[in-house]
Amino acid sequence: GKKVVITAGPTYEKIDPVRFIGNYSSGKMGFALAEECAERGAEVVLVSGPVTLDVHHPNIRRIDVESAQEMYEAAKEAYTDADAGILCAAVADFTPDHAADHKIKREKDDLVLQLKPTQDIAASLGAIKKEGQILVGFALETNDEAANAQGKLQRKNFDFIVLNSLNDKGAGFRVDTNKITIIDHEGATPYPLKTKLEVAKDIIDRLTISMNK
Ligand code: C5P
């Protein structure tokens, strides 16, 4: 009976009509979370960047977006009356200052792309989070993992953050497994390497505790 908003996948930031800046996110973790929430009786809004995955459960409403700006608008609107938000998407932090109207031609000189920061969806939702609403973030780190995740937990007003490190074998982008540590305001709980489906169950178990508090 709860409404959960989940962001998943990468974003594509347009350079010209045929090129973009993207990242290696597959969307697998976010889609697994969406299925798990729906399986447990939630109404899910899944805001997804460009991925090659399908949704199975009828209680998942999928909104396909491309850019960080589109993801921001869809997620913000859906979060207004949601009970929880899980921000699993790998959102671009920078986007081209403007997209060229025509395909950029090869030249001898270097090409310089001017980038501007995107909206931080997590921080924006954290700022409008109301009493009773829960917000869960993700952090993929390559160094100083725990300290960086702790900083994000505070800055983005998350209830807890799911840390995965690119230093752990079998964790991170594209693979079907993940190794997480859940960090909340009380401390850190490490989990063993599991499939993303099993990891999704652990995360939703933890979410359920926050929602019942
Ligand atoms: O700061 P960093 O990008 O590592 O933070 C990761 C968390 O913030 C993830 O939950 C991610 O989905 C979210 N995020 C976001 N919008 C951005 C950048 C990150 O929602 N523009």
Side-chain angles (χ1 to χ4, degrees):
K2 304 284 188 190
K3 176 176 171 181
V4 184
V5 181
I6 299 174
T7 65
T11 65
Y12 284 3
E13 308 302 321
K14 202 168 180 180
I15 296 171
D16 71 15
V18 296
R19 304 184 179 99
F20 59 84
I21 298 173
N23 61 68
Y24 295 122
S25 171
S26 63
K28 282 176 181 168
M29 193 65 246
F31 275 58
L33 287 163
E35 296 291 342
E36 185 59 26
C37 286
E39 205 56 56
R40 295 194 196 189
E43 174 208 339
V44 180
V45 178
L46 177 61
V47 184
S48 177
V51 296
T52 54
L53 301 171
D54 292 320
V55 150
H56 303 289
H57 202 287
N59 288 358
I60 303 173
R61 180 160 71 90
R62 173 178 183 167
I63 304 176
D64 286 308
V65 297
E66 198 169 283
S67 64
Q69 182 61 29
E70 287 168 13
M71 186 174 277
Y72 167 73
E73 285 163 19
K76 194 168 172 221
E77 149 117 53
Y79 191 60
T80 329
D81 64 344
D83 298 288
I86 310 177
L87 304 169
C88 192
V91 186
D93 291 322
F94 294 93
T95 191
D97 202 14
H98 81 279
D101 294 336
H102 303 288
K103 186 179 169 192
I104 298 170
K105 293 280 178 288
R106 175 193 293 274
E107 307 255 4
K108 286 219 167 61
D109 290 336
D110 293 350
L111 173 71
V112 177
L113 285 176
Q114 179 76 28
L115 305 178
K116 60 181 182 199
T118 54
Q119 287 267 17
D120 188 326
I121 303 168
S124 309
L125 298 192
I128 59 165
K129 188 171 86 168
K130 294 187 290 255
E131 181 80 36
Q133 279 186 314
I134 303 290
L135 197 62
V136 178
F138 272 71
L140 181 74
E141 303 291 347
T142 54
N143 55 289
D144 297 327
E145 290 98 339
N148 280 326
Q150 188 69 41
K152 281 173 202 174
L153 178 75
Q154 307 292 347
R155 247 191 347 268
K156 305 194 189 204
N157 197 16
F158 292 142
D159 293 273
F160 64 89
I161 188 161
V162 181
L163 168 67
N164 35 148
S165 164
L166 274 189
N167 297 330
D168 286 320
K169 220 171 165 289
F173 289 138
R174 293 191 285 202
V175 293
D176 289 317
T177 49
N178 206 358
K179 189 173 181 314
I180 61 160
T181 300
I182 293 185
I183 301 176
D184 61 19
H185 297 275
E186 265 110 59
T189 312
Y191 292 77
L193 184 75
K194 295 183 180 190
T195 67
K196 284 185 176 170
L197 288 174
E198 290 167 328
V199 172
K201 288 186 202 300
D202 288 339
I203 295 169
I204 304 309
D205 282 345
R206 179 63 189 79
L207 175 64
T208 308
I209 295 171
S210 288
M211 291 178 89
N212 290 335
K213 256 190 191 155

